[in-house]
């Protein structure tokens, strides 16, 4: 009989200890479940900040390489469309600058072809590119670098004309 009491008491104490452990684990899980959404929100905010900072850096540098690096690091980032558009605009500006440079030594017929190509790049439907102001107006959607290149090109052309 005494052996059974000891066994029963021992079994009770073991079960009690296990129940206490289960309660501790459950309370810790409850606390973790309360903390997890906050941590997830902080992680999301950190990702957004990293994305914004990376795009701001690319924008400040404003080169094809900087935007390409942004796209490589953040392929599903918040500013992927803006980065792709900036790359496209920079390439357009570079092409226009090359065409304007080629125009300096071109024949009148070649100049017309170059102007037509510039119009095509800028999306102008008319056969002539018009004045500097018209070009800048039509090119308004292009990145700041593009406008800068055009300003330099047109400034040089207006002095020689």
């Amino acid at each position: 009989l005494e052996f059974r009491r000891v066994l029963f008491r021992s079994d009770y104490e073991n079960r009690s200890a296990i129940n206490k452990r289960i309660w501790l684990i459950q309370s810790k899980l409850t606390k973790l479940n309360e903390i997890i959404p906050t941590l997830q929100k902080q992680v999301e905010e950190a990702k957004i900040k990293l994305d914004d900072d990376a795009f701001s850096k690319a924008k400040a540098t404003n080169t094809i390489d900087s935007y390409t690096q942004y796209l490589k690091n953040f392929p599903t980032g918040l500013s992927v469309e803006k980065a792709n558009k900036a790359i496209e605009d920079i390439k357009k500006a570079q092409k226009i600058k090359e065409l304007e440079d080629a125009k300096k030594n071109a024949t009148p017929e070649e100049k017309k072809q170059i102007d037509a190509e510039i119009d095509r790049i800028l999306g102008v439907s008319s056969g002539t590119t018009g004045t500097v102001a018209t070009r800048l107006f039509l090119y308004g959607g292009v990145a700041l670098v593009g406008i800068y290149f055009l300003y330099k090109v047109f400034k040089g052309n207006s002095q020689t004309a």
Side-chain angles (χ1 to χ4, degrees):
L1 189 66
E2 185 64 33
F3 176 72
R4 284 187 173 169
R5 277 190 209 166
V6 170
L7 186 62
F8 180 74
R9 187 178 305 149
S10 168
D11 192 36
Y12 173 78
E13 289 171 356
N14 285 339
R15 287 182 185 175
S16 179
I18 289 170
N19 284 338
K20 285 180 183 178
R21 287 184 191 152
I22 290 172
W23 180 83
L24 282 171
I25 290 171
Q26 286 177 334
S27 65
K28 288 179 181 181
L29 284 173
T30 302
K31 286 181 183 178
L32 283 174
N33 284 332
E34 292 170 358
I35 294 172
I36 287 173
T38 303
L39 293 175
Q40 287 173 327
K41 183 179 178 186
Q42 290 174 349
V43 167
E44 243 352 92
E45 289 171 353
K47 285 180 183 178
I48 291 170
K49 181 166 178 14
L50 282 172
D51 185 297
D52 286 343
D53 290 348
F55 184 73
S56 293
K57 182 179 176 184
K59 193 174 177 182
T61 308
N62 203 29
T63 64
I64 291 174
D65 288 340
S66 66
Y67 288 114
T68 303
Q69 188 65 37
Y70 167 79
L71 292 170
K72 180 181 173 188
N73 292 336
F74 297 90
T76 59
L78 300 172
S79 301
V80 168
E81 288 181 31
K82 291 178 186 177
N84 284 323
K85 176 77 169 108
I87 289 171
E88 181 184 316
D89 290 345
I90 292 170
K91 286 180 179 179
K92 281 182 183 179
Q94 289 172 343
K95 181 65 176 172
I96 289 172
K97 182 174 181 347
E98 290 172 12
L99 290 170
E100 289 291 349
D101 288 343
K103 195 169 147 182
K104 291 177 184 175
N105 298 321
T107 65
E109 185 58 36
E110 290 171 334
K111 287 180 181 182
K112 286 181 186 179
Q113 291 174 349
I114 291 171
D115 283 339
E117 178 65 14
I118 291 171
D119 286 346
R120 186 193 64 74
I121 291 169
L122 295 175
V124 178
S125 60
S126 67
T128 60
T129 53
T131 65
V132 172
T134 303
R135 285 187 181 184
L136 288 175
F137 175 75
L138 293 171
Y139 203 65
V142 179
L144 185 59
V145 166
I147 294 171
Y148 174 76
F149 282 131
L150 290 173
Y151 171 76
K152 286 293 192 179
V153 168
F154 295 139
K155 184 178 178 186
N157 284 349
S158 66
Q159 290 174 352
T160 58

